[in-house]
């Protein structure tokens, strides 16, 4: 069985947001809608300060709550595990927006453009949309994947921290990467308590782990919590 | 002609059927609540309630219920026909529920009543609305849904209305054997509709307003706490809270590494 997904090695993410821009280019999303984006958080205090970059997107869960709560049955999963919204069926109930524990679903009420008049690029994407407004989310660049290409965010990442592939295929790039590049690390999901079984998994950033551990030890030693 | 269920079936059988139906509903609701809890809907609600305070919380809930549920605003935005059919089914179901409750409270005997009685009027209007909405959705269902449970729900709702009218007509015509079978079909379809509710599209009656409410409450709470000043500049709703939880989740994981 094919389980398409993504592995994101946080050790290599530099927070450049190239994925964010590439996604906007590929999907032609309106302002405020970012299927792929990078969350940033600073922690600790100088000289033990740390910073984490967390690239997020739709997790294409195996147990997707958005699909369960959609009253119109507009959200489905393909055979290879990509969770898709059928724009024609979506009735705008927006239950999926709240149900997604990752905030990956957007529902822009008004179709805004970046400038006063839509650019030809925006016009092209407006025409391509079957209906508006509807719920919108990452489709893992299914049009590219079907052509044998990687999603736009993956090919644009300058540090190759996003690895796309089939989790079930031992020879896929994901599994090869885990074996050859990070054999010591175990991939983990975000918010596992939600029970969504995401197919986008993460590898820890060892530097940030070290800083976070120092923060804990410092607090335990009475050095002042940060 | 008096129509009492215990005239046809033994009391223990009816009690057993009711108990089984209730047990299935309870199990289904427990499953759904567990799912909602897992994805953090109640955490969102609790966070919003904590920030808003009881008065603002109550007034928001009431206004949202009126706007989204009673008036069905912003419920179906893509088609007026679909909205009308949906509202027809919703209002029909509520009217039938009101009529049944009124009969249960004010008319304990099973004697036939006039068509001009208030519960009859309410129930018949509700029934007509259910049939109209149900017909629309049954005919157009293939366009929107491929899930068998959706077909089951729509078909059951339609069957409840049709067998309700069937029972009424057969009582007037006065053939007890026909009435018996139609009435049985009506009650079985009602029980099946209620028992399957947590597992079918029916549950969106509770779930979708709850989701919308938690989103609305959280946005209002953010405005009140000063996180945002203008509502229009905050289209993300609960997204920022979820993002915060994800980052916090990751940081906790890092802190816990040995």
């Amino acid at each position: 069985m094919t389980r398409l997904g993504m592995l994101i090695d946080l050790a290599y993410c530099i927070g450049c947001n190239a994925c964010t821009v590439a996604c906007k280019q590929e999907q032609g999303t309106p302002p405020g809608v970012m299927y792929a984006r990078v969350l940033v958080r600073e922690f600790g205090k100088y000289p033990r300060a740390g910073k984490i970059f967390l690239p997020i997107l739709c997790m294409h869960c195996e147990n997707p709550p958005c699909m369960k709560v959609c009253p119109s049955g507009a959200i489905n999963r393909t055979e290879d595990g990509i969770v898709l919204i059928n724009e024609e069926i979506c009735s705008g109930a927006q239950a999926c927006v709240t149900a997604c524990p990752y905030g990956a679903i957007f529902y822009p009420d008004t179709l805004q453009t970046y400038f006063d008049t839509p650019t030809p690029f925006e016009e092209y994407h407006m025409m391509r949309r079957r209906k508006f407004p509807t719920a919108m989310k990452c489709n893992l660049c299914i049009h590219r994947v079907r052509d044998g290409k990687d999603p736009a965010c993956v090919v644009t990442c300058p540090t190759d921290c996003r690895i796309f592939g089939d989790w079930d295929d031992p020879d896929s790039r994901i599994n090869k990467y885990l074996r050859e590049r990070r054999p010591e690390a175990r991939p983990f999901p975000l918010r596992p308590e939600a029970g969504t079984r995401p197919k986008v998994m993460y590898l820890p950033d060892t530097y940030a782990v070290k800083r976070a551990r120092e923060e804990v030890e410092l607090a335990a030693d009475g050095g002042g919590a940060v | 002609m008096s129509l009492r269920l215990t005239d046809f079936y033994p009391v223990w059988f009816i009690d057993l059927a009711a108990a089984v139906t209730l047990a299935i509903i309870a199990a289904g609701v427990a499953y759904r609540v567990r799912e909602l809890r897992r994805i953090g809907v109640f955490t969102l609600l609790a966070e919003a309630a904590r920030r808003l305070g009881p008065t603002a919380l109550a007034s928001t809930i009431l206004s949202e219920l009126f706007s989204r549920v009673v008036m069905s605003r912003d419920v179906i935005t893509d088609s007026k026909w679909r909205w009308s059919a949906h509202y027809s089914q919703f209002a029909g179901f509520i009217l039938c529920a009101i009529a049944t409750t009124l009969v249960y409270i004010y008319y304990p005997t099973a004697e036939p009543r006039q068509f001009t009685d208030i519960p009859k009027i309410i129930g018949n209007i509700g029934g007509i609305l259910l049939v109209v909405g149900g017909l629309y959705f049954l005919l157009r269902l293939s366009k929107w849904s491929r899930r068998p449970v959706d077909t089951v729900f729509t078909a059951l709702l339609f069957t409840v209305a049709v067998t309700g009218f069937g029972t009424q007509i057969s009582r007037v015509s006065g053939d007890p054997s026909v009435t018996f079978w139609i009435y049985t079909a009506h009650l079985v379809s009602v029980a099946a509709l209620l028992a399957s509710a947590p597992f079918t599209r029916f549950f969106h009656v509770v779930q979708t307003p709850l989701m919308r409410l938690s989103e609305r409450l959280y946005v209002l709470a953010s405005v009140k706490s000063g996180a945002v000043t203008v509502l229009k500049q905050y289209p993300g709703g609960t997204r920022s809270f979820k993002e915060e939880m994800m980052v916090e989740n990751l940081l906790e994981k890092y802190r816990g590494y040995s």
Side-chain angles (χ1 to χ4, degrees), chain B residues 173-242:
Chain B
S173 66
D175 186 347
S177 62
V178 175
T179 308
F180 163 75
W181 287 112
I182 298 178
Y183 188 46
T184 302
H186 180 66
L187 291 174
V188 168
S189 56
V190 170
L193 179 74
L194 295 177
S196 64
F199 311 100
T200 63
R201 188 181 277 213
F202 200 175
F203 197 70
H204 84 277
V205 172
V206 178
Q207 192 167 255
T208 306
L210 183 73
M211 295 290 190
R212 297 289 292 265
L213 181 68
S214 57
E215 199 76 23
R216 178 78 183 156
L217 284 173
Y218 190 78
V219 171
L220 282 176
S222 303
V223 173
K224 195 185 174 192
S225 63
V228 281
T229 46
V230 184
L231 213 57
K232 279 188 180 172
Q233 290 176 359
Y234 196 61
T238 54
R239 187 164 296 115
S240 60
F241 181 71
K242 291 168 183 170

Side-chain angles (χ1 to χ4, degrees), chain A residues 37 41 98 103 105 213, chain B residues 215 239 243-244 255 257:
Chain A
R37 56 199 190 280
R41 167 78 79 86
T98 314
I105 303 184
R213 289 292 306 149
Chain B
E215 199 76 23
R239 187 164 296 115
E243 287 175 350
E244 193 63 25
R255 285 178 186 135
Y257 263 103

Side-chain angles (χ1 to χ4, degrees), chain A residues 2 17 22 57 65 111 130 141 164 175 200 203 223:
Chain A
T2 312
N17 272 300
L57 67 157
L111 191 52
R130 290 174 184 162
C141 287
F164 174 75
N175 287 316
V200 174
L203 288 176

Side-chain angles (χ1 to χ4, degrees), chain A residues 9 16 23 27-28 40 65-66 99-100 103 133 140 146 149 156 162 168 170 181 186 193:
Chain A
D9 193 342
C16 67
C23 176
Q27 303 284 349
V40 185
C66 56
C100 176
L140 216 57
R146 293 274 186 266
K149 299 174 191 164
T156 316
R162 289 171 177 249
D168 281 354
R181 296 278 300 273
R186 283 232 323 262
E193 77 281 3

